[in-house]
């Protein structure tokens, strides 16, 4: 873990050294100001003393600024680099690696964990390095007056900067970890609730979910406060340590070092800054572990089909099949599919039917090559001269997804498509009237949190999107779940008319089943062809 965290700071070590150097210079300059002030109070200060004091004030101010500037510069650069790395990695994990992952985990990683690392870099490594070097400098100064006094300084520095912060370290670490976990659960809860806001409204559970999220949020706050209280309670111990050290020093130092003795309790600010070390350290290490685990998660390689030549007399140009496939999800105990064979030919509309959880979507994911079968093969047969086989698959998931982009970009997903074609497709799916109501037509920006269309319209927009992307196999996962039977048969008629490739429909509804040329029924890990 330490190596991973150091590797993050390595490219920025120059700036980090500047920040730590400024911090050290600032701490030493402040110490000089305190001692010279004490000297001034007890017996007047020479002109040279005033000059040095004035310079020390200047150095302290400039160094403080430098420490903040370079320290935050390093922390924010690390934040940016990590966000880019995490995002790039998430892209490599999609789609199989992100399938069924908890949204709260991503939110916690991208929000909480990366920011905890920023705090970690800003408030642990720098202050620790400054405190260590500063202690050495302080000991050298006291050594010139009395070796025993230097030892006493070292002792007080160790008590204030190490022993007291470590006193409750275990308890603080566990409270901090609990607070982070509670925050993750809250994020998951809030995310799911806002995602399913319409459904929650319909079922009348919005209030209950909001109250539950509030309770969880309050619990995370309570745990964080408990950790803070524990760290704050150590302040009393610091006061005792400084008072004890002061008495010892006053007794040990010779009378001519009275200015040093007077200023003694004010010389340990860098050590007191370490009070938050255990909390920031444990949270930073925890966050580092989460991020490292994500970055170490290997992408599931796209599974390529076995390509075979189809006989010239074959009825279709190409076909894609699962041949005697068995499959268990990584980490799951029970196989979802056992010795399953399905096949889809060019031009067909095939339906996958069966109870919830029977493995219909899993079979579709295997056809798309998201996962490799444990046993059996993904096979594509194609006639000679058919250059592209159905690896160009369009998948319309159960839950429509929209981005904070214009309607045009939401539908084309960055592909250049003429507006006339987009409008024609929207019209054929019964959305022309709705389009006319939009203030800026295709340029209207869609806000995913305030969608300007119903759930049924959302599904038709998804279908428009699928029909706008050239593909050979269109997989529709529950495409008609929010449509009434009449609208649904109209939609499927449009798909049959507008789409030249093969269509695979995953469904529960008998009306949809009636539109299919052939059916496969999934049940109890098996599949049967229904004539
Ligand atoms: N990524 C995954 N990791 C682990 N288990 C999964 C994953 N995806 C699905 N499953 C499990 O595999 C089984 C089959 O799920 P699948 O989604 O294929 O069923 P389905 O027939 O499409 O159901 P539905 O009609 O509800 O969508 C279920 O028990 C599901 O919980």
């Amino acid at each position: 873990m330490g190596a991973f965290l150091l590797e993050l700071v390595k490219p920025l070590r120059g700036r980090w050294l500047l920040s730590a150097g400024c911090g050290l210079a600032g701490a030493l300059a402040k110490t000089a100001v305190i001692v010279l002030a004490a000297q001034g109070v007890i017996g007047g200060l020479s002109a040279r003393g005033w000059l040095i004091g004035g310079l020390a004030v200047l150095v302290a101010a400039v160094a403080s600024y430098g420490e903040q500037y370079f320290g935050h510069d390093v922390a924010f650069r690390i934040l940016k680099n990590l966000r880019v790395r995490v995002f790039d990695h998430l892209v490599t994990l999609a789609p199989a690696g992100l399938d069924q992952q908890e949204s709260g985990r991503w939110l916690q990683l991208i929000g909480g964990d990366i920011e905890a690392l920023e705090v970690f870099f800003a408030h642990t490594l720098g202050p620790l390095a400054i405190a260590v070097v500063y202690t050495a400098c302080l000991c050298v100064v006291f050594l010139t007056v009395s070796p025993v006094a230097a030892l006493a300084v070292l002792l007080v520095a160790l008590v204030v900067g190490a022993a007291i912060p470590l006193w409750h370290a275990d308890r603080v670490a566990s409270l901090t970890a609990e607070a982070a976990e509670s925050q993750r659960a809250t994020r998951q809860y809030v995310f799911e609730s806002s995602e399913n806001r319409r459904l929650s409204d319909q079922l009348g559970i919005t209030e209950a979910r909001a109250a539950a999220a509030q309770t969880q949020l309050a619990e995370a706050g309570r745990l964080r406060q408990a950790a803070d209280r524990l760290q704050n309670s150590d302040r009393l111990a610091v006061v005792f340590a400084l008072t004890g050290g002061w008495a010892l020093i006053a007794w040990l130092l010779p009378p001519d070092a009275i200015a040093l003795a007077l200023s003694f309790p004010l010389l340990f600010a860098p050590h007191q800054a370490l009070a938050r070390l255990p909390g920031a350290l444990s949270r930073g290490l925890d966050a580092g572990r989460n991020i490292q685990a994500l970055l170490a998660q290997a992408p599931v390689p796209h599974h390529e089909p076995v390509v075979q030549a189809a006989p010239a007399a074959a009825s279709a140009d190409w076909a894609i099949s699962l041949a005697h496939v068995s499959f268990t999800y990584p980490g799951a105990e029970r196989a979802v599919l056992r010795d399953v064979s399905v096949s889809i030919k060019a031009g067909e509309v095939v339906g996958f039917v069966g109870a919830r959880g029977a493995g219909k979507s899993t079979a579709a994911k295997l056809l798309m090559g998201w996962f490799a079968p444990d046993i059996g093969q993904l096979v594509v047969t194609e006639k000679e001269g058919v250059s592209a086989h159905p690896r160009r698959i369009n998948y319309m998931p159960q839950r429509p997804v929209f981005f904070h982009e214009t309607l045009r970009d939401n539908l084309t997903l960055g592909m250049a498509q003429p507006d006339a074609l987009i409008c024609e497709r929207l019209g054929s799916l019964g959305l022309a009237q709705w389009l006319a109501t939009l203030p800026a037509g295709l340029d209207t920006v869609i806000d995913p949190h305030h969608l300007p269309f119903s759930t049924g319209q959302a599904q038709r927009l998804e279908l428009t999107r699928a029909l706008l992307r050239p593909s050979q196999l269109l997989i529709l996962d529950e495409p008609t779940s929010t449509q009434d039977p009449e609208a649904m048969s109209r939609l499927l008629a449009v798909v049959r008319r507008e789409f030249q490739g093969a269509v695979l429909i995953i469904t529960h509804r008998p009306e949809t089943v009636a539109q299919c040329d052939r059916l496969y029924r999934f049940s109890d890990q098996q599949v049967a062809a229904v004539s």
Side-chain angles (χ1 to χ4, degrees):
M1 173 51 44
F4 169 68
L5 294 176
L6 284 178
E7 180 216 322
L8 292 174
V9 89
K10 207 167 154 194
L12 301 165
R13 58 187 178 278
R15 288 163 195 271
W16 182 82
L17 276 172
L18 271 172
S19 163
C22 285
L24 181 64
L28 291 172
K30 279 178 206 154
T31 298
V33 172
I34 291 166
V35 175
L36 287 169
Q39 185 70 44
V41 169
I42 55 172
L45 204 57
S46 65
R48 197 161 149 260
W50 279 109
L51 186 67
I52 296 174
L55 273 176
V57 168
L58 200 66
V59 171
V62 173
S64 249
Y65 178 82
E67 182 192 6
Q68 293 295 319
Y69 179 86
F70 291 114
H72 284 97
D73 186 48
V74 168
F76 289 137
R77 277 169 198 268
I78 287 174
L79 200 72
K80 187 197 93 185
N81 294 347
L82 258 183
R83 285 217 163 109
V84 171
R85 255 177 90 175
V86 165
F87 185 76
D88 286 350
H89 193 69
L90 286 180
V91 171
T92 69
L93 290 181
L98 303 186
D99 196 35
Q100 293 261 315
Q101 292 275 5
E102 279 179 33
S103 44
R105 186 181 162 216
W106 306 127
L107 289 175
Q108 180 69 359
L109 264 169
I110 294 164
D113 287 341
I114 294 182
E115 269 163 32
L117 274 193
E118 188 248 342
V119 173
F120 170 81
F121 284 114
H123 299 291
T124 54
L125 288 185
L128 195 61
I130 292 167
V132 169
V133 183
Y134 174 82
T135 307
C137 296
L138 210 56
C139 285
V140 169
V141 171
F142 275 79
L143 204 57
T144 58
V145 187
S146 148
V148 191
L151 262 180
V153 165
L154 185 62
L155 185 71
V156 173
L158 284 174
V159 171
V160 175
I164 294 176
L166 291 176
W167 188 12
H168 288 133
D170 283 351
R171 184 83 189 101
V172 168
S174 74
L175 281 171
T176 313
E178 276 179 66
E181 177 52 28
S182 175
Q183 199 180 31
R184 187 202 59 73
T186 312
R187 284 192 160 128
Q188 169 94 14
Y189 206 74
V190 170
F191 183 76
E192 281 171 2
S193 302
S194 60
E195 275 279 280
N196 299 311
R197 191 171 47 87
R198 280 161 197 263
L199 190 62
S200 310
D201 282 346
Q202 277 167 13
L203 298 175
I205 53 172
T206 308
E207 301 275 301
R209 286 191 75 85
Q214 293 278 6
T215 313
Q216 269 192 345
L217 204 58
E219 174 64 3
R222 188 192 65 73
L223 290 164
R224 261 199 316 274
Q225 275 174 0
D228 281 354
R229 260 200 308 278
L230 213 55
Q231 293 183 82
N232 287 341
S233 71
D234 294 347
R235 290 210 176 130
L236 203 60
V238 170
V239 171
F240 281 130
L242 289 178
T243 314
W246 200 6
L248 188 66
I249 281 287
W251 178 57
L252 288 171
L253 283 180
D256 58 347
I258 188 153
L260 263 188
L262 267 181
S263 39
F264 184 83
L266 303 177
L267 304 184
F268 294 88
H271 306 94
Q272 289 177 57
L274 299 182
R276 302 212 152 257
L277 198 67
L281 198 66
S282 62
R283 179 71 188 97
L285 289 176
D286 181 47
R289 262 191 295 275
N290 292 342
I291 293 169
Q292 198 183 19
L294 170 77
L295 294 177
Q297 189 179 329
V300 180
H302 189 266
H303 181 66
E304 291 297 327
V306 175
V307 182
Q308 293 174 349
S315 59
D317 279 353
W318 56 257
I320 183 165
S321 351
L322 295 176
H324 302 288
V325 158
S326 298
F327 179 72
T328 308
Y329 277 104
E333 282 174 11
R334 190 171 186 271
V336 178
L337 301 171
R338 263 188 212 284
D339 195 15
V340 159
S341 295
V342 296
S343 175
I344 302 161
K345 285 196 235 95
E348 276 188 320
V349 176
V350 172
F352 280 2
V353 293
R356 291 213 173 274
K360 306 180 292 294
S361 302
T362 305
K365 289 175 197 168
L366 288 167
L367 283 168
M368 288 187 282
W370 285 20
F371 299 99
D374 305 330
I375 306 173
Q377 283 182 326
L378 170 64
V379 183
V380 165
T381 50
E382 56 192 22
K383 280 191 185 168
E384 208 182 322
V386 176
S387 55
H389 57 68
R391 264 176 281 183
R392 290 201 354 229
I393 296 176
N394 242 339
Y395 175 56
M396 191 180 117
Q398 284 180 14
R399 181 194 289 248
V401 178
F402 292 93
F403 306 100
H404 204 282
E405 308 279 356
T406 60
L407 175 61
R408 182 186 297 97
D409 288 345
N410 262 291
L411 293 176
T412 60
L413 299 174
M415 259 180 56
Q417 296 278 21
D419 282 2
L421 180 66
I422 303 174
C423 293
E424 189 194 312
R425 290 275 189 264
L426 286 170
S428 59
L429 286 162
L431 292 166
Q433 270 187 349
W434 168 78
L435 180 65
T437 65
L438 294 181
L442 291 175
D443 289 317
T444 306
V445 174
I446 305 295
D447 177 353
H449 299 293
H450 299 98
L451 292 174
F453 38 75
S454 67
T455 322
Q457 284 172 323
Q459 266 192 340
R460 282 190 261 168
L461 284 168
E462 272 259 291
L463 208 49
T464 311
R465 183 190 269 165
L467 291 180
L468 281 169
R469 285 186 87 76
S471 70
Q472 286 168 296
L473 175 60
L474 176 59
I475 300 181
L476 306 173
D477 203 342
E478 293 288 354
T480 52
S481 55
T482 56
Q483 312 290 335
D484 58 66
E486 200 184 312
M488 186 206 69
S489 45
R490 222 177 30 240
L491 289 192
L492 290 177
V494 173
V495 172
R496 290 204 82 137
R497 194 178 65 234
E498 308 275 344
F499 184 70
Q500 309 310 320
V503 182
L504 167 61
I505 304 180
I506 302 170
T507 186
H508 289 105
R509 298 178 62 160
E511 303 91 328
T512 317
V513 167
Q515 309 271 335
C516 299
D517 300 328
R518 284 190 306 120
L519 289 178
Y520 287 102
R521 185 170 299 285
F522 285 67
S523 97
D524 198 21
Q525 305 171 300
Q526 304 287 317
V527 175
V530 183
S531 49

